[in-house]
Amino acid sequence: NPSYKAGDFMMITDHITTGVPSPLIGPNIDELGTRFPDMSEVYSKRLQDVIRKCAAECGVEIQEGVYVQFTGPNYETPAEIRLAQSWGGDAVGMSTACEAMAARHMGMEICGISCITNMAAGISKEAPVVSIPGTASNCLLWLNTLSPSFFTCRVMVAFSLE
């Protein structure tokens, strides 16, 4: 999303993993979840409300958007970024969505916050490298301000540095 900037937090409201193999391919372990889990709400609307409330209370601006996962380990090409935009994607990365799918398969309630560390190829003239020093520690400091009840054994915080 060209309106985002390096250093922004983006709450993941949905994701696109087309082109990335599903983590659920292969034999299903029935104890972990059903063969064909519902993915209509991977990222809990309830937890999104908690994140919005906590961010507002802490005075932290948070973007909201759709995360597109590519395979990596390389950065995306300008054409791939245009494709992600045409699909409705706001941020791209190499992780998070598959982990969220696997956790949702197991019945976990999921939230995701991505820290935008650089602008994608074709959006910025700069090389796509991490451009915000200390971003990970800043993200973790902010996450630590969330209510302790937010973190339970049934909640996975899908956290990525993209």
Side-chain angles (χ1 to χ4, degrees):
N1 188 320
S3 69
Y4 295 177
K5 62 186 179 313
D8 282 356
F9 296 114
M10 184 190 84
M11 177 172 59
I12 303 171
T13 57
D14 205 350
H15 71 241
I16 299 169
T17 57
T18 302
V20 176
S22 171
L24 305 180
I25 291 174
N28 188 58
I29 301 171
D30 293 331
E31 295 83 19
L32 296 180
T34 181
R35 171 75 277 184
F36 299 101
D38 179 15
M39 293 286 155
S40 60
E41 189 181 314
V42 175
Y43 304 93
S44 163
K45 292 187 185 331
R46 184 186 75 77
L47 292 180
Q48 289 175 39
D49 289 340
V50 171
I51 290 169
R52 284 183 198 100
K53 180 178 181 274
C54 290
E57 287 174 3
C58 295
V60 174
E61 184 180 337
I62 190 161
Q63 308 285 0
E64 298 185 23
V66 175
Y67 182 93
V68 181
Q69 182 173 339
F70 288 109
T71 59
N74 53 288
Y75 286 106
E76 299 75 26
T77 68
E80 289 169 324
I81 296 304
R82 290 191 303 275
L83 178 65
Q85 288 174 317
S86 74
W87 285 345
D90 293 292
V92 299
M94 302 173 211
S95 65
T96 305
C98 285
E99 293 86 347
M101 287 171 60
R104 187 69 195 116
H105 168 256
M106 295 169 53
M108 292 181 172
E109 189 172 13
I110 311 300
C111 68
I113 300 171
S114 209
C115 186
I116 308 300
T117 58
N118 62 70
M119 299 309 291
I123 292 178
S124 173
K125 306 262 187 272
E126 297 175 17
V129 296
V130 174
S131 58
I132 302 293
T135 300
S137 56
N138 290 341
C139 289
L140 292 173
L141 287 173
W142 179 74
L143 289 172
N144 282 333
T145 66
L146 297 175
S147 166
S149 64
F150 181 72
F151 295 100
T152 69
C153 63
R154 302 286 297 168
V155 176
M156 175 188 130
V157 176
F159 180 76
S160 67
L161 292 175
E162 308 304 342

PDB file of all heavy atoms in Angstrom, residues 46 73 100 107 114 136:
ATOM      1  N   ARG A  46     -12.694 -10.349  16.935  1.00  0.00           N
ATOM      2  CA  ARG A  46     -12.655  -9.980  18.350  1.00  0.00           C
ATOM      3  C   ARG A  46     -11.264  -9.470  18.730  1.00  0.00           C
ATOM      4  O   ARG A  46     -11.123  -8.423  19.367  1.00  0.00           O
ATOM      5  CB  ARG A  46     -13.031 -11.187  19.224  1.00  0.00           C
ATOM      6  CG  ARG A  46     -13.119 -10.854  20.717  1.00  0.00           C
ATOM      7  CD  ARG A  46     -13.343 -12.108  21.555  1.00  0.00           C
ATOM      8  NE  ARG A  46     -12.124 -12.898  21.678  1.00  0.00           N
ATOM      9  CZ  ARG A  46     -11.111 -12.593  22.502  1.00  0.00           C
ATOM     10  NH1 ARG A  46     -11.164 -11.508  23.254  1.00  0.00           N
ATOM     11  NH2 ARG A  46     -10.039 -13.367  22.560  1.00  0.00           N
ATOM     12  N   PRO A  73      13.308 -16.890  -0.674  1.00  0.00           N
ATOM     13  CA  PRO A  73      13.902 -15.934   0.251  1.00  0.00           C
ATOM     14  C   PRO A  73      14.303 -14.619  -0.409  1.00  0.00           C
ATOM     15  O   PRO A  73      15.008 -13.814   0.190  1.00  0.00           O
ATOM     16  CB  PRO A  73      15.121 -16.681   0.786  1.00  0.00           C
ATOM     17  CG  PRO A  73      15.567 -17.508  -0.376  1.00  0.00           C
ATOM     18  CD  PRO A  73      14.286 -17.914  -1.075  1.00  0.00           C
ATOM     19  N   ALA A 100      -0.313 -18.733  10.385  1.00  0.00           N
ATOM     20  CA  ALA A 100      -1.663 -18.408  10.843  1.00  0.00           C
ATOM     21  C   ALA A 100      -2.660 -19.468  10.376  1.00  0.00           C
ATOM     22  O   ALA A 100      -3.558 -19.862  11.129  1.00  0.00           O
ATOM     23  CB  ALA A 100      -2.066 -17.025  10.330  1.00  0.00           C
ATOM     24  N   GLY A 107      -7.592 -24.611  15.674  1.00  0.00           N
ATOM     25  CA  GLY A 107      -8.636 -24.014  16.494  1.00  0.00           C
ATOM     26  C   GLY A 107      -8.197 -22.806  17.287  1.00  0.00           C
ATOM     27  O   GLY A 107      -8.938 -22.318  18.147  1.00  0.00           O
ATOM     28  N   SER A 114       1.918  -6.836  11.481  1.00  0.00           N
ATOM     29  CA  SER A 114       3.145  -6.802  10.694  1.00  0.00           C
ATOM     30  C   SER A 114       3.772  -5.429  10.868  1.00  0.00           C
ATOM     31  O   SER A 114       3.065  -4.423  10.945  1.00  0.00           O
ATOM     32  CB  SER A 114       2.790  -7.033   9.223  1.00  0.00           C
ATOM     33  OG  SER A 114       3.829  -7.648   8.543  1.00  0.00           O
ATOM     34  N   ALA A 136      12.185  -4.312  15.199  1.00  0.00           N
ATOM     35  CA  ALA A 136      11.681  -5.483  15.915  1.00  0.00           C
ATOM     36  C   ALA A 136      11.515  -5.186  17.398  1.00  0.00           C
ATOM     37  O   ALA A 136      10.497  -5.507  17.990  1.00  0.00           O
ATOM     38  CB  ALA A 136      12.626  -6.667  15.706  1.00  0.00           C
TER      39      ALA A 136
END
